[in-house]
Amino acid sequence: MSERGLLIVFSGPSGVGKGTVRKAIFENENHQFEYSVSMTTRKQRPGEVDGVDYFFRTKEEFETMIKNGEMLEYAEYVGNYYGTPLKYVNETLDLGKDVFLEIEVQGALQVKEKAPDGVYIFLTPPDLIELRERITNRGTDSEKVINQRMKKAREEIEMMQVYDYAVVNDEVDLAVAHIMKIIEAEHFRVERVIGKYRRMLEKL
Ligand code: 5GP
């Protein structure tokens, strides 16, 4: 039987560049984990593909999933629901593959309650002024939404203490390299491998 995969939870404030870093990780040929596509009720942005970037769903559809216990976690973020469908995560971990979640902090806290043995990585901006510029330059949000996102970002940065690792996103390539090393090292933790050796000893 293969070992259960590793659950990797990747978070950080809005606009810090999580999406960019996550895409760069998945473009890296050395990665060996599966991306869990999130579900959201927010409007599809130009260029986004349903089922690839998100599963875009109505509020009613999302609430039905919540009611049926089909979400690993979910959060209301700036007026919309975002969440992780449970089935894909469980099935993929059971196959022995690592699963990578890119989610905001409230969701990460819920996952930590359920799966404290996951790896929790927090992406930090080099500074908050730059963070605001990045969100503004993206040009997709109104001033009101930008202010809401910044308020959220402050609260989120204080949540860093809940995570296992903090990686600064000053250069995407560097951040990706750090994250890949963290995940690689996590596979060597004794508590992750000891079960396998115990089973071997039993067979001796
Ligand atoms: P955006 O609207 O910019 O795509 O995402 C807004 C925030 O929602 C980001 O911080 C993003 O990481 C987070 N997010 C995306 N998917 C999920 C999810 O499945 N669950 C939670 N809790 N947050 C998510």
Side-chain angles (χ1 to χ4, degrees):
M1 198 188 93
S2 61
E3 295 296 309
R4 213 163 185 255
L6 191 63
L7 182 62
I8 303 148
V9 180
F10 181 56
S11 264
S14 174
V16 70
K18 287 193 297 290
T20 309
V21 172
R22 184 250 302 166
K23 282 187 187 128
I25 288 172
F26 279 85
E27 277 161 14
N28 183 314
E29 59 191 26
N30 295 323
H31 90 268
Q32 284 181 335
F33 21 85
E34 308 294 321
Y35 179 60
S36 158
V37 178
S38 294
M39 194 168 282
T40 186
T41 60
R42 92 144 156 70
K43 260 180 70 190
Q44 201 165 343
R45 290 184 188 138
E48 285 183 332
V49 178
D50 185 33
V52 175
D53 298 285
Y54 283 106
F55 295 109
F56 294 97
R57 294 290 181 269
T58 63
K59 194 164 174 249
E60 291 69 33
E61 286 168 329
F62 201 108
E63 284 173 348
T64 303
M65 295 275 293
I66 298 171
K67 217 167 56 212
N68 294 342
E70 293 173 81
M71 303 307 279
L72 169 63
E73 59 74 35
Y74 70 93
E76 265 193 273
Y77 183 89
V78 198
N80 282 298
Y81 282 126
Y82 293 81
T84 305
L86 180 61
K87 193 164 176 263
Y88 175 80
V89 172
N90 270 341
E91 287 178 354
T92 311
L93 290 175
D94 285 345
L95 288 174
K97 293 181 183 166
D98 294 351
V99 176
F100 191 100
L101 308 185
E102 181 216 311
I103 61 180
E104 53 70 66
V105 176
Q106 293 309 317
L109 288 181
Q110 294 169 42
V111 182
K112 194 152 192 208
E113 290 265 303
K114 295 178 184 166
D117 58 344
V119 185
Y120 293 81
I121 304 172
F122 192 85
L123 191 69
T124 65
D127 68 62
L128 281 176
I129 292 163
E130 191 177 324
L131 175 67
R132 192 181 178 100
E133 276 165 16
R134 284 197 213 178
I135 297 178
T136 309
N137 291 342
R138 194 162 64 189
T140 52
D141 297 317
S142 67
E143 184 69 21
K144 187 171 160 228
V145 172
I146 291 170
N147 286 335
Q148 285 172 331
R149 283 181 183 265
M150 283 307 295
K151 183 169 172 275
K152 195 91 190 166
R154 282 200 189 92
E155 291 163 13
E156 285 176 333
I157 284 166
E158 280 168 24
M159 299 302 294
M160 193 197 285
Q161 56 181 318
V162 175
Y163 291 75
D164 302 311
Y165 299 93
V167 175
V168 181
N169 188 23
D170 42 10
E171 261 184 62
V172 172
D173 288 352
L174 264 183
V176 170
H178 292 318
I179 292 165
M180 300 294 281
K181 280 186 211 153
I182 288 167
I183 296 169
E184 193 184 348
E186 281 289 327
H187 278 280
F188 294 92
R189 274 190 183 277
V190 167
E191 66 256 37
R192 294 196 200 284
V193 296
I194 198 161
K196 186 171 84 184
Y197 288 96
R198 286 204 175 117
R199 285 194 292 281
M200 277 193 246
L201 287 172
E202 279 163 17
K203 284 189 193 142
L204 282 180

